[in-house]
Amino acid sequence: MQTVHLVILAVYLLAMVGVAVYFLRSGRLGGGDDFLFAGRSLPRPVMIATLLVTWVGSGTIIGGANFAYTYGPVAGLVFFAGTPLGILVLLLAARRIRRASRHTVPELLEARFGTGVRTVAAAVTALAYIGLVASQFIGGGYVVGLITPLSATQGTVLVAVVVTLLTVTGGLFSVAYTDFLSAILIVLGLFVSLPLVFAAVGGPAAYWDGLPEAATTPTGGLTALQLLGYFLPLFLLLLADQNIYQRLTAAKDERAARASTVGMLVSSFFVFVPVVLLASAAAVLMPGINGDMAVLALASEGHLPAVLGGLILAGAVAFVITTGSSFMLSAASNIAYDLYARFAKGAQGEAGGRRGLAVQRGAVLVIAVVAFALGLFFPTVLELQMYSYTIYGAAITPAVFAVLFWKRATTAGAVAALVVGAATTIGWQLAGTPGDVNGVVVALPAALLALVAASLLTKAPDPETLEAAGVD
C-alpha cells in the first residue's frame, strides 16, 4: 500500500460521489425515461466514452488481463478481437437500433415476437447482467484491497456501495459523465505505462524471449475449440448488448448513433491492445502471480512510478464502477419496463414517469444485494465473466439478430432459442465445463438450431407484424 495510491483513489471516489450528488440535485430527472436515456441529450464525446467504458470494465482490466497473462499476447488479441469485430457488425445495425428506439432489448423482441418472448428475455437478461454486476464488484474489491488496508471482501462492499450510489442518484446522466472522466484517466494511464514496463522488461526482444514457450504460440497452448470458446462470448454479447443498444437509443439521432459507434471502434484499440501487452509483460516480470492481478500488480508492486501506478489503479476502479453502474442500470430497466410495467396493476404506461423512476431505483438496490451474493459463488472474475457473457450471448443474441435481419423467424423460434441457449449454458456450467471448453461452443449452435428449426416448422409472420417491429 502506498500513500500516493490511496490519495489518488480517494480523490477519484470523491469526484464520483460529487457527480452523483450534482445530478441528484440538478432536477434533470423528470421520470424513468430520463433515468435510462439521459434525455437523449448526451454530447458526442460523452456518447463515445460511455459506449467504450460501458464495455471495458473489470472484464478487460482484470478478466482479459488474466487471459493474456496466462496464454500470451497473440491469444490475448484473439480473445479481445470480438470487440472490434462486434462493433463492425453493430455499425450495420446502429441506425436500425436507434430507429427502433426501445427501452430494452426484450421490448424490441416483443414488437416482433409477442409478450411471452419479452418476459422470458427479460428474465434471461436480468440474470446475465446481475452476473456482470457481480464481476465488477469482485474486480473492484481486488483493486481496493491492493491500495488500502481493506481486505478484498471489504473492498467489494465499498465498490458495491459506490456503484449503487452512482446508479441510484442520476441514472444515465451520472453514469455517462463519469464514463467520460474514466475513459480519459485509464487510456492515458495505459499508454504512458507501456514504454516504462517494456523498459523494465529489457525491451521487445527480451519481452518475447521471456514469455513461456506456449505463450508465444497463436493459441497460447489452448486447442482451437477452447480458444473459440473464449472469443465467442465477448463477440456475441456485444452484438446484442442491451447496454450498448440503450446508449445508441440515447443518441440524439440516427447519425449520432452511427458516428458514436465509429468512435467506440477506434477508441477500443486504445484499451485492449495496451492491456494485452502489459498483462503479458507482467508474465515475464512476475511469473506465478494471480492472473487477475497482472496489470494491477505492475502498478502496485513498484514497476511503475507511484503517481502513474495510482492512475492505473484508480482507472481500474473507474472502469469497474462505471461498467458496474451501467449493467446495474440496464438490469433495473428490465425490471421496470419488462416486468413491472407489464404485470403490476395499474402500471401500464407508468414506467417512463415518476412511478417508474421509483421502481428503477428500488430495483437497483435489490440488484446490488443479489449481485454481491452471486459473486461469492465464482472464484475469479474471468470465470464469472465467461458465464454471464455466454448466458446472454447464446440466448439473446440469436433472437435479436433474427429481429434485425431474418424476416422468417417466428415466435416459436425465438422462444426456443432463448430457452435452449440459457438452459444449455447453465447445464454446461453445472456439469463442470467438460473438456475445459466454455459453454458457448455448445450453447450457441444449440440455440441457433432451435431458432431455425422451430421457425421453419411454424407459420411465417405476416407483414404487419414485421412493420410493427420498427426494424424491418
Side-chain angles (χ1 to χ4, degrees):
M1 182 183 72
Q2 296 190 39
T3 303
V4 172
H5 295 170
L6 190 58
V7 170
I8 292 175
L9 177 63
V11 169
Y12 172 75
L13 291 178
L14 287 173
M16 297 299 98
V17 173
V19 171
V21 171
Y22 170 79
F23 282 108
L24 179 64
R25 296 169 59 88
S26 68
R28 300 176 73 174
L29 292 178
D33 279 2
D34 288 337
F35 190 77
L36 185 60
F37 295 134
R40 293 185 172 88
S41 62
L42 298 177
R44 188 167 300 174
V46 177
M47 273 292 300
I48 294 171
T50 193
L51 283 167
L52 175 68
V53 179
T54 290
W55 184 245
V56 288
S58 69
T60 298
I61 202 75
I62 296 175
N66 184 339
F67 187 88
Y69 178 90
T70 305
Y71 300 110
V74 181
L77 290 174
V78 173
F79 174 85
F80 281 115
T83 294
L85 291 176
I87 296 171
L88 285 173
V89 176
L90 277 181
L91 278 172
L92 301 175
R95 287 179 177 171
R96 293 187 180 201
I97 294 167
R98 178 61 181 82
R99 191 181 309 138
S101 192
R102 299 300 200 273
H103 297 93
T104 66
V105 163
E107 185 179 353
L108 176 69
L109 295 176
E110 180 191 35
R112 174 74 177 272
F113 300 124
T115 302
V117 171
R118 180 177 183 176
T119 303
V120 174
V124 172
T125 302
L127 179 62
Y129 279 16
I130 289 172
L132 291 170
V133 172
S135 73
Q136 307 308 310
F137 289 174
I138 296 171
Y142 285 161
V143 185
V144 172
L146 286 175
I147 303 174
T148 73
L150 299 176
S151 67
T153 301
Q154 292 169 331
T156 299
V157 173
L158 175 62
V159 169
V161 170
V162 175
V163 169
T164 305
L165 176 66
L166 185 65
T167 309
V168 83
T169 51
L172 185 57
F173 279 115
S174 294
V175 172
Y177 281 93
T178 53
D179 283 351
F180 181 70
L181 297 175
S182 300
I184 295 173
L185 181 65
I186 194 65
V187 170
L188 177 64
L190 289 173
F191 265 88
V192 175
S193 298
L194 269 177
L196 298 177
V197 170
F198 268 73
V201 172
Y207 155 75
W208 188 258
D209 292 340
L211 289 171
E213 183 178 353
T216 62
T217 65
T219 65
L222 296 168
T223 67
L225 195 61
Q226 287 173 325
L227 187 58
L228 181 66
Y230 282 103
F231 164 82
L232 280 176
L234 203 66
F235 176 68
L236 291 173
L237 175 63
L238 182 55
L239 291 183
D241 183 8
Q242 180 172 268
N243 262 313
I244 302 299
Y245 279 40
Q246 288 172 337
R247 295 301 190 279
L248 294 175
T249 300
K252 293 180 180 179
D253 50 39
E254 295 173 21
R255 182 178 178 182
R258 187 173 177 83
S260 299
T261 307
V262 173
M264 180 189 180
L265 172 63
V266 174
S267 60
S268 68
F269 287 95
F270 294 117
V271 175
F272 72 77
V273 172
V275 166
V276 166
L277 294 175
L278 289 171
S280 53
V284 178
L285 289 171
M286 299 173 289
I289 66 170
N290 180 351
D292 279 350
M293 297 292 102
V295 172
L296 305 179
L298 291 172
S300 65
E301 298 298 325
H303 295 285
L304 294 171
V307 173
L308 183 57
L311 289 176
I312 290 288
L313 293 170
V317 176
F319 268 3
V320 165
I321 288 176
T322 53
T323 302
S325 58
S326 293
F327 281 113
M328 185 177 280
L329 177 64
S330 195
S333 72
N334 291 121
I335 294 173
Y337 288 95
D338 298 320
L339 301 176
Y340 167 77
R342 301 297 300 177
F343 300 112
K345 184 177 180 180
Q348 189 70 30
E350 290 291 330
R354 287 285 181 183
R355 192 172 173 185
L357 176 60
V359 171
Q360 288 187 75
R361 283 174 163 163
V364 164
L365 300 177
V366 173
I367 290 165
V369 174
V370 176
F372 181 82
L374 182 62
L376 300 177
F377 178 76
F378 287 87
T380 69
V381 171
L382 182 61
E383 184 177 337
L384 182 54
Q385 172 189 351
M386 287 297 101
Y387 165 76
S388 300
Y389 285 0
T390 298
I391 199 171
Y392 188 90
I396 299 292
T397 300
V400 170
F401 266 63
V403 170
L404 296 174
F405 299 112
W406 192 34
K407 298 179 181 179
R408 183 62 180 80
T410 66
T411 298
V415 171
L418 289 167
V419 173
V420 170
T424 305
T425 300
I426 295 171
W428 195 260
Q429 185 72 32
L430 292 176
T433 59
D436 290 327
V437 174
N438 285 322
V440 68
V441 175
V442 178
L444 178 62
L448 289 173
L449 181 61
L451 170 68
V452 173
S455 294
L456 294 180
L457 290 172
T458 51
K459 182 181 177 181
D462 55 58
E464 290 77 14
T465 300
L466 297 175
E467 185 178 352
V471 293
D472 177 45

